[in-house]
Coordinates of all heavy atoms in Angstrom, one line a residue:
G499 N 104.5 76.7 103.9 CA 104.3 78.0 104.3 C 105.4 78.7 105.1 O 106.2 78.0 105.7
V500 N 105.4 80.0 105.1 CA 106.3 80.8 105.9 C 105.4 81.9 106.5 O 104.6 82.5 105.9 CB 107.3 81.5 105.0 CG1 108.2 82.5 105.8 CG2 108.1 80.6 104.2
P501 N 105.5 82.0 107.9 CA 104.7 83.1 108.5 C 105.0 84.5 108.0 O 106.1 84.7 107.5 CB 105.1 83.0 110.0 CG 106.0 81.8 110.1 CD 106.4 81.4 108.8
P502 N 104.1 85.4 108.1 CA 104.3 86.8 107.6 C 105.6 87.3 108.2 O 105.9 87.1 109.4 CB 103.1 87.5 108.0 CG 102.0 86.5 108.1 CD 102.7 85.2 108.6
G503 N 106.3 88.1 107.4 CA 107.6 88.7 107.8 C 108.3 89.1 106.6 O 107.7 89.7 105.7
G504 N 109.6 88.7 106.4 CA 110.3 89.0 105.2 C 109.8 88.4 104.0 O 109.9 88.9 102.9
A505 N 109.2 87.2 104.2 CA 108.6 86.5 103.1 C 107.3 85.9 103.6 O 107.2 85.7 104.9 CB 109.5 85.3 102.6
T506 N 106.3 85.6 102.8 CA 105.1 85.0 103.2 C 104.6 84.0 102.2 O 104.7 84.2 101.0 CB 104.0 86.1 103.3 OG1 104.5 87.1 104.2 CG2 102.7 85.6 103.9
K507 N 104.2 82.8 102.7 CA 103.6 81.8 101.9 C 102.7 81.0 102.7 O 103.1 80.6 103.9 CB 104.7 80.9 101.3 CG 104.2 79.8 100.3 CD 105.4 79.1 99.7 CE 104.9 78.0 98.8 NZ 104.6 78.5 97.4
D508 N 101.5 80.6 102.2 CA 100.6 79.7 102.9 C 99.8 79.0 101.9 O 98.7 79.3 101.6 CB 99.7 80.5 103.9 CG 98.9 79.7 104.8 OD1 99.2 78.4 104.9 OD2 98.0 80.2 105.5
P643 N 95.7 80.3 113.3 CA 95.3 81.7 113.4 C 95.6 82.6 112.2 O 96.6 82.4 111.5 CB 96.2 82.2 114.6 CG 96.6 81.0 115.3 CD 96.6 79.9 114.3
E657 N 97.4 83.2 100.8 CA 98.0 84.5 100.7 C 97.5 85.4 99.5 O 97.8 86.5 99.4 CB 99.5 84.4 100.5 CG 100.2 83.9 101.8 CD 100.0 84.8 103.0 OE1 100.1 86.0 102.8 OE2 99.7 84.2 104.0

Side-chain angles (χ1 to χ4, degrees):
V500 177
T506 303
K507 182 177 182 79
D508 191 11
E657 290 302 315

